[in-house]
């Protein structure tokens, strides 16, 4: 039997080619995912190890739940330097230090990070070109910021200190920030330690690095430093532990990337499994006489079963090996593309871990053999008497009570979970429940596939039957003749179309919903705000609002200010008092602004009163008429009465809003957090934009954003996300089309005598090709129709679980495009099988068994 199986594989190499290609693509995607993420992680680890190797012990401050990152003090540094065995200890400074671009505006949406460059033994800064700063007037810039902003070594740049005062520096070099994600995001400017403290306003250190004296081990020094710091709560690591911690933090990012990509890989493997199952099912049906003949000459049921599994194992092993090579190429290609787009990625070589090899081979082998189990079991039921038949009997399909029972179980359970997800509060739990309901519902559709494929064939085949005449009617009959095969063929395409439709619906719904919410939250033409940094001075001067009001191109100018106050809780007017403690955002507005209140009134909105958002009112347990106790830096503890509540999602006000004068009494002359500006009617957008930018020009950190830009950025993000997801799902669709081509090719072989008889009765070669193309078109449309229906339903369900008050939208053009592309792809999949059938000899086909 072993020799017979291997001989059969060698004699019919082409019949399993498309099946092998399907599993190769699926395994290649999974292997490519591991190759890409393993390569990134290896590069991260390599860089981290090289950096942390210079440090014997590192100290970091205890984690804090406060708004500002915790710091180690100068006293901590002094104590560490006094520990026996410490050869050198350096405190690392990090804080906001906004770099000003050549246009006179601060670079980026967040201030660049100022950091101290340490020289000597503990120097962990990678200088890409030039030299490190050694004097107060020198600075280094990260390579990415220098490239995007046009700075080079030798240039003079302006950097703002913590109070937004400008200082000039000479660029002495460019630095590679390596795997430091914060510096890569904000950009970096490096100073000497003293200058870094002066520019950032930081009096402490975010880390202290220590070098050990000769003969002192890092472990012993770590213990001594831990003892010296006492109960400060600081974390003390050896250099090796620091490297492991940094590697873990970077590894968390690659783990998320791996899981995300593997989800698409698993979808591809599921589709490939369906293709394999269908292929072996057809092959077993076609080889009924061959199996029966083997039984006649002494083969047992177990040997027949083993031969089919052996055949699938050989195909799976070869395909998995090819998939591993494909994955290696895909991973290297993805890495090259990322680097070409300017991503700061490690330069380590492509990593092929033993785990990747084992997983790739195991997944391909298990999926292939698993998909062949049912066809192999069917092969054991072939009776020896079947060897005497001249041709294979057409398979008949009966629904069966077991199929109905399983379908009902899946439908009822899936429907129940779906309803539960819709009625639950939006959130991750509801989304997971909806995913479970969708999966079970899809299982029900899978079980019922052969039942629903007949009416769907009539529906999808109506137009082809009218357009193609006799070949179209024959194609419709062929698609209905073996509903089990047709259902298995189309379900692979259904998976891809379902997911694509679902993503398209969610994207369109999110776009429509957020557009309305943005209109409500951004009901102005322009917003001026400062860079969002950790500094308490992250605001714009009040003079800017006056300059905006003086511009004739502009009309209403509204200033919004805010600060943090101690939270004392709420009393009265509600269902109960809220808990005290914590912080509240308290603010005010100045200008022509009238908030829409959900409850209460603005009558009497003077000192001692406040408006609060719904969320704050719920948290504190207050309602109009109740009171809130605040602890403020200027007026101490004050009690304010709640006059009204507003929707915090649609109003541009802080959670607790007090009158303008009262705010100054509580917090002093705080700058504006943001300024809302409207252009006068009839003023062109480019003219009003220039007016706002001209008023903001003297203030480097003041950033101007228009409502149009906010919407465009949101749309671009959604479009990019949709494009990436559809591109990844395209692999599953490609595999499903291979399945259609494979099924049709095997079906053509199976129906060679039938095709020859049709030719003998007068069907031309062109008509035969049109018949097979129309059959593939109908199969593609069936898969698309079911997929679109499921995608629309569960797209709506998923949208309900993501947010409240959604505006459900169906992207009709995209859905219609998916249906059309599915039909077209089915026709393309039929090109080669149709050509093969048309070229076959009528006499030879009629004479074949």
């Amino acid at each position: 039997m072993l020799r017979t199986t291997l001989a059969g594989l060698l004699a019919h190499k082409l019949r399993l080619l498309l099946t092998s290609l399907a599993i190769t693509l699926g395994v290649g995607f999974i292997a490519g995912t591991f190759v890409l993420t393993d390569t990134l992680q290896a590069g991260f680890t390599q860089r981290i190890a090289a950096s942390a190797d210079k440090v014997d012990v590192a100290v970091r401050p205890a984690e804090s739940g406060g708004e500002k990152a915790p710091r180690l003090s100068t006293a901590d540094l002094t104590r560490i330097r006094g520990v026996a065995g410490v050869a050198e200890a350096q405190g690392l400074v990090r804080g906001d230090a906004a770099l000003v671009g050549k246009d006179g505006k601060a670079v980026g949406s967040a201030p660049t990070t100022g950091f101290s460059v340490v020289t000597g033994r503990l120097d962990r800064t990678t200088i890409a070109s030039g030299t490190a700063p050694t004097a107060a007037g020198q600075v280094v810039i990260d390579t990415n910021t220098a490239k995007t902003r046009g700075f080079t070594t030798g240039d003079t740049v302006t950097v703002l200190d913590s109070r937004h005062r400008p200082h000039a520096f000479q660029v002495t070099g460019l630095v590679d920030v390596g795997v430091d994600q914060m510096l890569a995001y904000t950009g970096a400017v490096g100073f000497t330690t003293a200058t870094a403290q002066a520019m950032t306003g930081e009096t402490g250190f975010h880390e202290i690095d220590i070098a050990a004296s000769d003969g002192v081990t890092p472990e012993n020094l770590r213990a001594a430093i831990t003892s010296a710091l006492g109960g400060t709560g600081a974390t003390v690591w050896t250099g090796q532990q620091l490297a492991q911690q940094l590697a873990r933090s970077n590894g968390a990012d690659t783990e998320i990337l791996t899981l995300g990509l593997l989800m698409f890989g698993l979808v591809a493997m599921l589709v490939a499994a369906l293709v394999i199952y269908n292929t072996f099912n057809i092959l077993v049906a076609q080889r009924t006489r061959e199996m029966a003949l083997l039984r006649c000459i002494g083969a047992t049921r177990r040997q027949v079963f083993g031969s089919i599994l052996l055949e699938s194992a050989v195909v799976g092993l070869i395909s998995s090996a090819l998939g591993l090579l494909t994955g290696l190429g895909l991973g290297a290609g993805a890495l090259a593309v990322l680097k070409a787009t300017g991503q700061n990625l490690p330069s380590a070589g492509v990593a092929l871990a033993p785990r990747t090899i084992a997983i790739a081979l195991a997944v391909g082998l298990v999926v292939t053999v698993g998909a062949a189990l049912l066809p192999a079991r069917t092969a054991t039921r072939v009776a020896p008497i079947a060897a005497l038949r001249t041709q294979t009997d057409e398979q008949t399909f009966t629904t069966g009570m077991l199929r109905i029972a399983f379908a009902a179980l899946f439908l009822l359970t899936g429907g129940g979970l779906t309803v539960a997800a819709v009625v639950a509060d939006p959130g991750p739990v509801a989304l997971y429940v909806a995913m479970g309901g969708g999966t079970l519902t899809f299982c029900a559709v899978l079980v019922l596939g052969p039942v629903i494929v007949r009416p769907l064939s009539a529906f999808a085949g109506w137009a082809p039957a009218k357009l193609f005449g006799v070949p179209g009617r024959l194609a419709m009959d062929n698609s209905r003749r073996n509903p089990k095969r047709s259902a298995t063929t189309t379900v692979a395409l259904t998976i891809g179309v379902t997911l694509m439709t679902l993503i398209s619906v969610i994207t369109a719904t999110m776009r429509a919903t957020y557009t309305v919410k943005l209109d409500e939250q951004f009901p102005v033409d322009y917003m001026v705000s400062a860079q969002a940094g950790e500094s308490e001075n992250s605001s714009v001067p009040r003079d800017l609002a006056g300059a905006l009001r003086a511009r004739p191109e502009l009309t209403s100018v509204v200033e919004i200010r805010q600060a943090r106050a101690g939270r004392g809780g709420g009393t009265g007017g509600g269902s109960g008092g809220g808990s005290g403690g914590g912080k509240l955002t308290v603010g005010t507005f100045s200008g022509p602004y009238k908030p829409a209140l959900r409850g209460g009134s603005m009558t009497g909105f003077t000192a001692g009163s406040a408006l609060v958002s719904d969320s704050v009112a719920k948290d504190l347990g207050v309602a109009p008429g109740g009171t809130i106790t605040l602890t403020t830096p200027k007026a101490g503890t004050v009690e304010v009465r709640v006059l009204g509540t507003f929707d915090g999602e649609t109003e541009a006000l802080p959670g607790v809003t007090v009158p303008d004068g009262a705010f100054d009494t509580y917090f002093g002359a705080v700058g504006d957090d943001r300024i809302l500006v409207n252009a006068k009617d009839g003023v062109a957008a480019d003219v009003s934009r220039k007016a706002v930018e001209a008023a903001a020009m003297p203030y480097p950190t003041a950033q101007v954003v228009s409502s149009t830009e906010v919407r465009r950025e949101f749309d671009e993000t959604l479009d990019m996300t949709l494009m990436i997801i559809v591109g990844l799902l395209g692999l599953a669709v490609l595999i499903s089309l291979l399945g259609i081509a494979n099924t049709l090719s095997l079906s053509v072989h199976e129906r060679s005598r039938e095709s020859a008889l049709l030719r003998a009765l007068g069907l031309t070669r062109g008509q035969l090709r049109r018949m097979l193309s129309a059959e593939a078109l109908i199969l593609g449309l069936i898969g698309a129709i079911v997929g679109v229906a499921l995608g629309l339903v569960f797209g709506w369900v998923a949208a309900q679980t993501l947010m409240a008050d959604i505006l459900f939208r169906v992207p009709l053009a995209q859905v219609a495009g998916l249906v059309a592309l599915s039909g077209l792809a089915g026709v393309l999949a039929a090109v080669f099988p149709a050509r093969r059938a048309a070229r076959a000899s009528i006499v030879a086909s009629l004479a074949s068994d």
Side-chain angles (χ1 to χ4, degrees):
M1 287 300 295
L2 176 61
R3 289 196 296 271
T4 301
T5 301
L6 296 179
L9 282 170
L10 292 175
H12 303 91
K13 295 183 288 293
L14 292 178
R15 72 183 179 186
L16 295 173
L17 176 62
L18 292 179
T19 300
S20 177
L21 185 56
I23 199 69
T24 296
L25 290 175
V27 171
F29 192 94
I30 292 177
T33 297
F34 283 115
V35 168
L36 174 62
T37 53
D38 285 348
T39 300
L40 292 176
Q41 186 59 37
F44 288 145
T45 304
Q46 186 182 76
R47 286 195 180 186
I48 290 166
S51 171
D53 187 55
K54 300 177 181 179
V55 178
D56 291 315
V57 177
V59 181
R60 287 194 170 183
E63 292 296 329
S64 170
E67 301 170 37
K68 193 173 176 64
R71 294 288 186 261
L72 294 164
S73 66
T74 303
D76 294 327
L77 179 60
T78 302
R79 279 198 294 270
I80 291 171
R81 285 175 172 168
V83 173
V86 173
E88 182 180 351
Q90 296 287 349
L92 306 183
V93 179
R94 183 173 292 194
D96 293 344
L99 174 67
V100 179
K102 293 185 176 181
D103 59 355
K105 305 298 290 185
V107 170
S109 59
T112 47
T113 300
F115 69 100
S116 58
V117 178
V118 175
T119 57
R121 179 177 172 181
L122 292 172
D123 178 14
R124 292 166 57 191
T125 306
T126 302
I127 304 295
S129 64
T131 60
T134 57
Q138 296 178 341
V139 70
V140 289
I141 302 176
D142 70 284
T143 53
N144 186 58
T145 300
K147 179 181 178 181
T148 56
R149 303 296 173 174
F151 292 124
T152 60
T153 302
D155 287 351
T156 298
V157 297
T158 300
V159 183
L160 305 180
D161 64 17
S162 59
R163 297 189 178 184
H164 297 170
R165 295 173 300 192
H167 300 265
F169 292 89
Q170 183 185 25
V171 179
T172 60
L174 304 179
V175 297
D176 181 357
V177 297
V179 297
D180 194 315
Q181 297 171 2
M182 175 58 71
L183 297 186
Y185 170 70
T186 64
V189 285
F191 313 90
T192 61
T193 300
T195 307
Q197 288 179 316
M199 291 297 295
T200 62
E202 296 285 349
T203 57
F205 310 102
H206 89 283
E207 180 178 319
I208 297 177
D209 290 346
I210 303 110
S213 301
D214 292 340
V216 178
T217 64
E219 289 74 16
N220 290 337
L221 185 57
R222 173 180 176 270
I225 292 173
T226 302
S227 176
L229 292 175
T232 61
T235 304
V236 184
W237 287 316
T238 63
Q240 185 177 6
Q241 291 172 332
L242 174 65
Q244 292 171 350
Q245 176 65 23
L246 293 173
R248 275 195 296 269
S249 63
N250 280 285
D253 293 336
T254 57
E255 286 172 11
I256 294 173
L257 174 65
T258 303
L259 289 175
L261 291 175
L262 283 180
M263 287 179 60
F264 295 99
L266 292 175
V267 170
M269 291 305 301
L270 174 61
V271 174
L274 292 170
V275 171
I276 296 164
Y277 166 76
N278 210 31
T279 300
F280 277 97
N281 218 22
I282 297 172
L283 287 175
V284 167
Q286 290 178 352
R287 294 158 61 189
T288 300
R289 293 188 68 201
E290 177 186 327
M291 299 295 176
L293 184 58
L294 289 173
R295 293 290 310 281
C296 283
I297 61 176
T300 64
R301 291 178 182 268
R302 178 177 295 181
Q303 286 176 317
V304 171
F305 182 81
S307 69
I308 300 296
L309 290 191
L310 177 61
E311 188 172 327
S312 67
V314 172
V315 172
L317 194 60
I318 295 174
S319 302
S320 301
L322 293 174
L324 182 60
L325 295 176
T326 303
L328 190 61
L330 288 174
L335 192 65
V337 170
L338 289 173
K339 287 186 176 181
T341 56
Q343 301 295 321
N344 183 28
L345 297 174
S347 57
V350 176
L352 182 61
R355 174 203 60 183
T356 303
I357 298 174
I359 290 177
L361 296 178
V363 167
L365 193 60
V366 169
V367 169
T368 308
V369 174
L373 281 174
L374 286 178
R377 183 169 174 267
T378 301
T380 64
R381 297 178 179 177
V382 176
I385 193 66
L388 302 177
R389 296 171 185 165
T390 58
Q391 61 180 12
T392 304
D393 292 335
E394 183 73 32
Q395 289 185 347
T396 58
F397 171 76
T398 55
T399 303
M401 291 303 298
L402 190 61
R403 183 181 297 273
I404 293 176
F406 271 105
L409 177 63
F410 285 138
L411 271 177
L412 290 175
T413 309
L417 289 175
T418 302
V419 171
V422 172
V423 299
D425 292 332
V429 175
L431 181 60
Y432 293 144
V433 173
M435 290 171 61
T439 302
L440 291 175
T441 303
F442 188 85
C443 289
V445 173
L446 185 64
V447 173
L448 289 174
V451 178
I452 64 178
V453 78
R454 281 180 172 169
L456 286 176
S457 295
F459 177 75
W462 180 83
K466 293 292 184 182
L467 291 174
F468 297 108
V470 173
R473 291 194 293 274
L474 289 172
M476 182 171 65
D477 290 338
N478 285 337
S479 64
R480 302 173 63 185
R481 193 167 63 185
N482 193 334
K484 189 173 181 181
R485 177 195 299 170
S486 297
T488 311
T489 302
T490 58
V491 76
L493 182 61
T494 298
I495 293 174
V497 175
T498 298
L499 294 175
M500 284 190 171
T501 303
L502 186 145
I503 295 300
S504 298
V505 167
I506 291 178
T507 303
T509 300
M510 295 275 286
R511 194 190 308 276
T513 304
Y514 273 106
T515 296
V516 172
K517 288 185 178 293
L518 285 172
D519 288 338
E520 293 173 344
Q521 296 176 1
F522 206 125
V524 292
D525 294 323
Y526 303 98
M527 182 175 73
V528 184
S529 60
Q531 284 183 321
E534 288 189 357
S535 172
E536 295 179 358
N537 297 312
S538 295
S539 60
V540 293
R542 297 188 182 188
D543 294 343
L544 175 54
L548 290 167
R549 291 190 178 98
R551 302 292 304 197
E553 303 90 345
L554 308 176
T555 174
S556 64
V557 176
V558 178
E559 302 166 70
I560 296 178
R561 308 182 190 104
Q562 64 183 38
R564 301 288 284 173
R567 167 180 162 180
T571 59
S575 59
S579 60
K583 292 280 188 177
L584 282 174
T585 299
V586 181
T588 188
F589 65 93
S590 175
Y593 186 90
K594 188 174 181 180
L597 299 182
R598 285 190 168 182
S601 169
M602 288 193 66
T603 303
F605 187 52
T606 56
S609 63
L611 306 173
V612 298
S613 67
D614 290 339
S615 59
V616 172
K618 181 180 179 181
D619 187 31
L620 295 179
V622 296
T627 59
I628 299 174
T629 302
L630 304 173
T631 303
T632 66
K634 297 294 184 181
T637 301
V638 296
E639 191 173 86
V640 294
R641 184 167 58 90
V642 178
L643 294 180
T645 59
F646 58 86
D647 185 352
E649 292 189 359
T650 59
E651 296 293 335
L653 298 178
V656 177
T657 300
V658 299
D660 190 11
F663 181 85
D664 288 350
T665 302
Y666 300 156
F667 301 98
V670 176
D672 293 329
D673 180 72
R674 53 195 183 278
I675 305 173
L676 310 181
V677 185
N678 273 324
K680 282 187 177 179
D681 293 339
V683 177
D686 59 336
V687 175
S688 59
R689 176 63 185 252
K690 289 179 181 178
V692 176
E693 289 181 342
M697 182 56 67
Y699 308 96
T701 62
Q703 298 185 329
V704 180
V705 180
S706 70
S707 56
T708 304
E709 290 173 336
V710 172
R711 294 182 184 89
R712 184 174 66 244
E713 289 178 2
F714 177 73
D715 286 341
E716 288 176 352
T717 301
L718 276 182
D719 290 339
M720 179 65 70
T721 303
L722 179 63
M723 183 177 68
I724 292 172
I725 292 177
V726 169
L728 293 172
L729 288 175
L731 178 65
V733 175
L734 174 61
I735 295 174
S736 67
L737 295 178
L738 292 174
I740 292 177
N742 208 18
T743 301
L744 205 60
S745 180
L746 293 168
S747 179
V748 165
H749 175 74
E750 185 181 62
R751 298 183 336 220
S752 58
R753 296 187 69 194
E754 175 188 317
S755 299
L757 181 59
L758 290 172
R759 290 285 312 283
L761 292 174
L763 200 69
T764 65
R765 289 186 174 183
Q767 288 176 319
L768 182 60
R769 284 196 296 266
R770 285 196 293 275
M771 181 191 76
L772 294 173
S773 297
E775 184 178 343
L777 170 64
I778 293 170
L779 291 177
L781 290 177
I782 291 173
I785 291 170
V786 178
V788 166
L790 290 173
L792 290 177
V793 171
F794 284 97
W796 177 82
V797 172
Q800 297 290 335
T801 65
L802 289 174
M803 67 183 78
D805 303 324
I806 65 163
L807 298 175
F808 182 68
R809 294 291 184 271
V810 177
L812 294 176
Q814 292 182 18
V815 171
L818 281 175
V819 175
L821 285 175
S822 298
L824 176 62
V827 173
L828 293 176
V831 170
F832 290 107
R835 287 180 62 188
R836 180 184 175 189
R839 290 178 177 179
S841 168
I842 297 176
V843 176
S845 298
L846 287 173
S848 63
D849 287 339

